[in-house]
Amino acid sequence: MEVHFERAVPSGIITMVEAFFASMRLQEVLDEMLSFDEGQCKLTPGQRLVALILCVFGGREALYRVEQFYVGHDLERLFGPDISAHDFNDDALGRALDKLSAAGPKRVFSTLAFHALTVQEIPWEAVHGDTTSVSLYGEYEGYDEPGLLRLVPGYSKDGHPELKQLMIGLATTRDGIPMLADVMDGNTSDKVWNLRLVQELSRSLPAERLRQMLYVADSALVTKKNLAALAEQKYRFVSRLPSTFKEADEVRDAAFAVDLWTDLGALSAKKNAAQYKVWETSRVIDDQAYRLLVVHSSSLDRRKQKHLDSLIAREGKELAKAAREEASHRYSCREDAEAAFARWSSQYWQLTHHVEEVQEKHYGHRGRPRKGEAPQVQRYYRLVIAPGEHRADAVALLRARLSTFVLISNDPLRTSREILVEYKEQQSVEQGFRFVKEPRHLAPVFLKRPDRIEAFAYVLAIALLV
């Protein structure tokens, strides 16, 4: 079926994005960094890459029938005179991706990003870093050359461990504007990437700027090796302290024992926004002092509520099984049965019990009893236990503990509220991932070579920058 794309393409968006490119001179920056022969090329690499980016904003699957996408557009307005839709054929666009790959796409992107931040005078006091996986559907066999992107299975954040994938790392401002992008092998560890980003930032930014900047990341940042690197580079950071550190449970227990919270209220003006309170202390980890903030949120998300219900139900099943086994035990007296119940305990359930007196008749020999023979009566006691109502105090304490998380930071200047606010802004980088992971953009990409796929992922990162 033939589809006339020009009828559905929002031309106003295309024109607006192209105008932004022109005002920022982003195409010129691309052409300065990507080598090409002006005498041999009708279109510059920058023009062809801009054409791909405009496809993304036009709601198209980039690299798929791009020629047809541009049919009906004012190409002279967008790209200059004597340009036709056929100039954006697959071969021309593929060669542009090759130029980007040869120039070092990570370096090209960071140059564009810092150029845009500088020209637009966008302030940034914090950098938010995170990674995501992107599942791909091709086989990608036979590309084992050193230096090529390795499209292999890894820990899938898409829930598709059976597929090959690549990893994308982003470092953004609080507003989600990407400063650095990193397209990586499909099995790259978050912990490894965080260390690599720390080292890359130290090479890219002036030392004074690094000392003022706050690096924000999820718990994958916090390993002994990464903490040592942060201390060496004198980075200020905030992250979530993972439960693998014993200090996480220690300070959480201390917070509930002391019970002297600082009320921070809501962090947003939204209706029914979560209310926060915090208890702060300090700990020394590997000879470095850190601020540890136990943060309590009033909103217990559904995942944690499900976890809470699961814990209570599991203990209920274990109690019921143990109670059935207990009921088969025989005690010689009521006191012994009561003493056995004293050894029972439950974290989340109130236990009810009673002691039954059981009388069993038997004749002391095999076979039928003799005529007129009186049976012997054997008396014993058994303990009957049943879970009752939930222990409201214990369930409330567990709910409160599940509603807390522990932040770790070495920033000596920001208040606990400012640190929490900056950490909560981590969602800005996650919003960027939703853009680059949009299924129509990258997952069904019609490319075979890993180097072109890597270059195209950076094209999407440039689109996110715009």
Side-chain angles (χ1 to χ4, degrees):
M1 181 178 65
E2 187 70 20
V3 179
H4 297 286
F5 298 107
E6 65 271 13
R7 295 179 181 176
V9 174
S11 299
I13 295 177
I14 298 298
T15 303
M16 181 179 67
V17 174
E18 190 279 331
F20 176 79
F21 263 94
S23 68
M24 296 292 295
R25 294 187 62 254
L26 293 184
Q27 180 181 309
E28 287 85 343
V29 175
L30 282 169
D31 287 333
E32 289 171 3
M33 300 190 70
L34 275 57
S35 62
F36 68 102
D37 186 342
E38 296 185 35
Q40 297 293 323
C41 298
K42 181 177 180 180
L43 295 178
T44 71
Q47 285 177 308
R48 284 174 278 173
L49 294 177
V50 168
L52 286 177
I53 294 169
L54 293 182
C55 279
V56 174
F57 284 96
R60 288 287 299 112
E61 297 172 356
L63 283 189
Y64 181 67
R65 296 182 178 176
V66 175
E67 291 179 70
Q68 295 186 20
F69 174 84
Y70 281 109
V71 172
H73 277 289
D74 185 353
L75 298 183
E76 182 173 351
R77 167 68 181 84
L78 294 175
F79 301 105
D82 301 324
I83 303 297
S84 68
H86 177 70
D87 293 326
F88 301 108
N89 60 70
D90 290 350
D91 290 337
L93 297 176
R95 289 193 297 271
L97 292 177
D98 293 341
K99 296 289 186 183
L100 178 58
S101 177
K106 183 192 295 187
R107 181 179 66 90
V108 171
F109 176 83
S110 61
T111 301
L112 287 172
F114 283 110
H115 171 78
L117 290 169
T118 302
V119 172
Q120 294 288 336
E121 298 181 345
I122 296 174
W124 52 276
E125 295 79 29
V127 173
H128 294 257
D130 202 358
T131 68
T132 192
S133 61
V134 178
S135 299
L136 301 170
Y137 301 108
E139 291 297 329
Y140 310 111
E141 301 291 350
Y143 297 101
D144 300 323
E145 295 91 342
L148 278 183
L149 181 70
R150 298 180 64 244
L151 304 173
V152 294
Y155 175 70
S156 175
K157 300 182 182 182
D158 299 327
H160 291 289
E162 76 283 2
L163 296 178
K164 293 181 179 180
Q165 66 179 28
L166 58 82
M167 298 290 292
I168 297 179
L170 289 178
T172 75
T173 69
R174 179 193 289 185
D175 297 317
I177 301 173
M179 303 165 53
L180 294 171
D182 202 358
V183 180
M184 303 164 286
D185 296 342
N187 58 356
T188 303
S189 160
D190 284 359
K191 298 179 176 64
V192 171
W193 179 79
N194 269 285
L195 178 58
R196 192 160 72 191
L197 179 61
V198 166
Q199 295 167 339
E200 188 165 336
L201 285 172
S202 65
R203 293 191 297 266
S204 303
L205 300 176
E208 183 61 27
R209 192 64 186 265
L210 285 175
R211 285 192 289 270
Q212 298 172 355
M213 182 194 76
L214 182 69
Y215 180 51
V216 187
D218 63 16
S219 59
L221 170 68
V222 185
T223 67
K224 295 293 185 74
K225 185 176 182 179
N226 290 356
L227 289 177
L230 289 164
E232 180 181 354
Q233 300 291 342
K234 296 182 172 54
Y235 276 23
R236 295 179 185 177
F237 76 95
V238 59
S239 183
R240 192 162 180 162
L241 185 66
S243 57
T244 51
F245 282 72
K246 60 182 177 59
E247 289 82 3
D249 282 334
E250 290 176 357
V251 297
R252 188 181 280 110
D253 291 340
F256 284 98
V258 174
D259 199 24
L260 292 174
W261 302 84
T262 299
D263 188 8
L264 300 181
L267 301 184
S268 76
K270 293 181 180 179
K271 185 180 179 181
N272 300 324
Q275 302 288 316
Y276 291 91
K277 57 184 180 180
V278 64
W279 182 80
E280 181 175 347
T281 186
S282 61
R283 288 289 189 275
V284 174
I285 301 175
D286 287 350
D287 301 324
Q288 294 289 332
Y290 298 99
R291 297 170 64 184
L292 300 185
L293 285 69
V294 182
V295 181
H296 178 274
S297 169
S298 64
S299 63
L300 182 66
D301 65 40
R302 282 181 291 180
R303 179 176 57 83
K304 291 180 179 178
Q305 181 64 57
K306 185 177 180 180
H307 178 59
L308 172 61
D309 294 341
S310 175
L311 287 176
I312 296 172
R314 186 187 311 133
E315 189 187 47
K317 290 181 180 179
E318 292 172 352
L319 284 171
K321 179 181 178 181
R324 289 193 296 270
E325 295 175 353
E326 175 61 53
S328 65
H329 294 168
R330 299 185 177 195
Y331 295 96
S332 59
C333 64
R334 186 178 298 273
E335 289 75 14
D336 287 349
E338 291 286 358
F341 178 71
R343 296 190 291 271
W344 277 67
S345 65
S346 169
Q347 187 173 1
Y348 306 120
W349 296 84
Q350 298 179 19
L351 299 179
T352 62
H353 80 288
H354 66 276
V355 176
E356 286 185 352
E357 179 181 333
V358 181
Q359 295 184 8
E360 286 187 351
K361 296 180 181 180
H362 63 91
Y363 291 90
H365 60 80
R366 295 181 178 180
R368 296 175 62 183
R370 292 182 290 272
K371 186 177 181 179
E373 180 181 6
Q376 299 176 6
V377 177
Q378 186 177 29
R379 180 183 291 109
Y380 66 90
Y381 298 85
R382 70 189 189 107
L383 177 61
V384 180
I385 301 173
E389 299 293 328
H390 292 163
R391 290 183 54 191
D393 55 344
V395 172
L397 180 60
L398 176 61
R399 179 177 286 108
R401 286 181 65 89
L402 288 175
S403 296
T404 63
F405 54 92
V406 182
L407 296 181
I408 178 172
S409 180
N410 61 352
D411 188 317
L413 301 179
R414 288 174 173 84
T415 66
S416 56
R417 180 184 179 86
E418 290 170 336
I419 286 178
L420 176 59
V421 167
E422 203 63 67
Y423 179 76
K424 296 296 289 184
E425 291 296 335
Q426 183 71 357
Q427 63 182 343
S428 62
V429 65
E430 295 167 0
Q431 291 170 352
F433 285 142
R434 282 196 287 273
F435 176 84
V436 298
K437 286 166 70 74
E438 170 66 34
R440 70 171 184 238
H441 287 161
L442 189 54
V445 66
F446 293 94
L447 291 167
K448 293 182 179 180
R449 287 169 30 194
D451 54 339
R452 286 188 173 182
I453 293 175
E454 178 182 11
F456 182 58
Y458 280 102
V459 169
L460 291 179
I462 297 171
L464 175 61
L465 172 65
V466 175

